[in-house]
Amino acid sequence: MADLNEQLQANTYIWSQSADQITISFLVPETCKTRDLEVKIDHQYVSAGLKGHEPVLKGKLFAPVNHFDSLWQLEKSSISPYSSLTTSPSLSIASSYALMSSPNHSPNSSMVLPAPALAESLTTEPSAQVSADMADILHQAAALGTASAQSSASSVTDEQLSQTASSPVAMADSPSGSGGDPQQSQPKYRILTIHLEKEHEGMEWAIPISAGWKSDLDIDVTSAYHLAGWFETRMKDYKNALRYYKTSAERGHTLSMIKMASLLEMDDPSLPKDTKTAFYWYKRAADAVVESSGTSVSSGPDPLACYIVGTTYGAGSPEAEVEKNYEQALFYFNRAMSITAPRIDIDFSVLETDAEIPKSCLRNHGPHSRDESYFCSAAFQTGLIYLYGSSPDGETVQSVTHVENDPSKALRYWKEASMLGHAQASYNIGIIYANGMGVDVDLWQAGKWFGRAVKLDTTGKLVVPNGVNIVDWDAKKTDGQVKSPPPTAASATEAKTQAKPKKVRRRRKTKRTKEDDGLVGALLVLGSAVAVAGIAWWWYSREKPRS
């Protein structure tokens, strides 16, 4: 599936060019007739959109066109709207194996830091039931930022909440407390296509619109976004780039909101650095409401913005004046997954049973599209929150809201990410089974997931821990490969002289020695918002050159 920027969407246009022609397309409501449209094509100006609405396309063209030979057409058939980590506090762990998490947003990278202190047990005492706020958060996340979700969500039972939270795809398919399935209720559209004949055949256009119609900023939001990108990437004129991003962002263009936020975090003398305002724009893009179709307003919340806001809440940011809030972090992570899941071609239903996942259902490569990357990153971070809950040992700054630790949910989210080829999620699943964190100790299962992690890892930094042998995914467990509890210190010593795989050694919390450093990696969970935004932006801004 193509990246989102290359897909035809509501409320914005896409464009392409050949040696002699510029083609611009955008969606209009299915009920729209030619009499409902207003299209003007001049020698060097163009304007197009629904009558009575702000034009979807408006401004001065990059170069003159032969307006007598240029034309536009409205397709007859209707279509769907989408056609054609960072640093962290030191957290304790429950065994000799450490979880790995990404210091940036690459699904296939890792970092090893000095070992954290060992903890006696991961299990915590039962605490208060999940708050009503948590129910509202998960309901609102599933509603994808629609206007109905902005109001207070109705309460649900703990069982319903657990079922909803454990399956992001289920949330997208049938969100509780929402007015209906947002994917099924989406309106149909028709395509409006404009063909502009170049006056100078063979001339390469950098962007379709180079200036406003009657004034500098008299320009549609999509063209303002493209023009700002031209100033930013080609001219290195960040001041003008910020000006055009801002005029587009203020009119609801979510991509411009994200770009503007990233510029406000830059260390550049021509721009004022403002982390607080940057977070405001990220959050506004994450909370964008789906507006009327066929106009140049928002198409709804952006998954990258949701992920950045989620990591900011997960880490807290004094610069942005944001407190650490795991409930809000889960809200935005789940929203990111709910948005992207319907656009990912994979069947997660195989996880609904305890049966082994067929190899044919597993990707043998890392996430390819942005939707897959955002889904995997959000699922990975969600799993980390559920693994420890809101009060992990070693954290100096606690979440202001409570989240119950639930390793089974962490396992579910990581399995979904692993199916899409996320190496570190696969590695952490191996850790879960090797250490018996919420499940029985099973070194055979751990070996399967460690083996998958190593195959997916492109950095070479994910190493299978001592005591676990890699198991081929299609291998069958024999009678001698049964689940076993953690061995005693004596049995672990004896195992060194035997041909059997080394077993996990459970330790009580003790002062860490140099010997421990060779056995324990590091857990990076949720770090600074600035680093999160900056690195995520690096991934987001990589655009393929237009042909």
Side-chain angles (χ1 to χ4, degrees), residues 83-127:
S83 60
S84 353
L85 275 144
T86 68
T87 57
S88 114
S90 176
L91 298 185
S92 299
I93 59 173
S95 75
S96 297
Y97 301 147
L99 293 158
M100 305 291 294
S101 74
S102 176
N104 53 38
H105 293 262
S106 169
N108 293 306
S109 62
S110 180
M111 178 180 292
V112 177
L113 295 180
L118 296 173
E120 181 175 356
S121 175
L122 177 73
T123 307
T124 59
E125 294 297 324
S127 58

Side-chain angles (χ1 to χ4, degrees), residues 20-21 39-46 61 63-72 194-200:
D20 60 348
Q21 192 176 85
V39 182
K40 299 178 182 179
I41 303 176
D42 202 352
H43 185 228
Q44 204 162 350
Y45 292 88
V46 65
L61 295 167
V65 297
N66 186 338
H67 57 290
F68 295 108
D69 293 334
S70 299
L71 55 88
W72 62 275
I194 301 173
H195 302 279
L196 303 174
E197 294 294 326
K198 294 180 179 178
E199 187 172 83
H200 305 291

Side-chain angles (χ1 to χ4, degrees), residues 266-318:
M266 286 181 58
D267 289 314
D268 189 273
S270 65
L271 296 175
K273 187 172 182 178
D274 190 341
T275 305
K276 182 179 179 181
T277 303
F279 178 74
Y280 164 81
W281 284 109
Y282 282 133
K283 191 171 185 301
R284 185 168 166 180
D287 292 333
V289 176
V290 178
E291 300 284 359
S292 57
S293 59
T295 67
S296 53
V297 291
S298 170
S299 295
D302 182 90
L304 173 60
C306 292
Y307 180 71
I308 293 174
V309 171
T311 54
T312 305
Y313 276 119
S317 173

Side-chain angles (χ1 to χ4, degrees), residues 20 103 244 328-329:
D20 60 348
Y244 280 102
Q328 287 294 322

Side-chain angles (χ1 to χ4, degrees), residues 33-194:
K33 308 296 183 183
T34 55
R35 63 176 178 270
D36 301 320
L37 299 170
E38 187 171 11
V39 182
K40 299 178 182 179
I41 303 176
D42 202 352
H43 185 228
Q44 204 162 350
Y45 292 88
V46 65
S47 177
L50 295 174
K51 290 181 179 178
H53 294 272
E54 182 180 350
V56 176
L57 175 66
K58 182 182 181 182
K60 182 180 179 181
L61 295 167
F62 183 79
V65 297
N66 186 338
H67 57 290
F68 295 108
D69 293 334
S70 299
L71 55 88
W72 62 275
Q73 65 187 81
L74 184 61
E75 303 293 341
K76 292 182 179 181
S77 58
S78 61
I79 62 170
S80 299
Y82 294 99
S83 60
S84 353
L85 275 144
T86 68
T87 57
S88 114
S90 176
L91 298 185
S92 299
I93 59 173
S95 75
S96 297
Y97 301 147
L99 293 158
M100 305 291 294
S101 74
S102 176
N104 53 38
H105 293 262
S106 169
N108 293 306
S109 62
S110 180
M111 178 180 292
V112 177
L113 295 180
L118 296 173
E120 181 175 356
S121 175
L122 177 73
T123 307
T124 59
E125 294 297 324
S127 58
Q129 292 182 341
V130 179
S131 67
D133 288 341
M134 189 64 175
D136 289 344
I137 281 170
L138 293 174
H139 284 168
Q140 293 173 35
L144 304 182
T146 58
S148 61
Q150 302 299 316
S151 59
S152 60
S154 58
S155 61
V156 293
T157 64
D158 291 342
E159 181 180 1
Q160 290 172 325
L161 179 60
S162 176
Q163 292 173 351
T164 302
S166 64
S167 178
V169 177
M171 293 176 62
D173 291 342
S174 55
S176 309
S178 64
D181 189 332
Q183 301 302 321
Q184 293 180 359
S185 61
Q186 288 176 339
K188 297 291 185 178
Y189 298 90
R190 301 174 70 184
I191 305 176
L192 175 66
T193 303
I194 301 173

Side-chain angles (χ1 to χ4, degrees), residues 11 54 219-226 247-248 251 253 256 296:
N11 308 323
E54 182 180 350
I219 187 173
D220 69 272
V221 294
T222 309
S223 296
Y225 170 76
H226 288 311
T247 187
S248 185
R251 287 182 281 168
H253 192 254
S256 294
S296 53

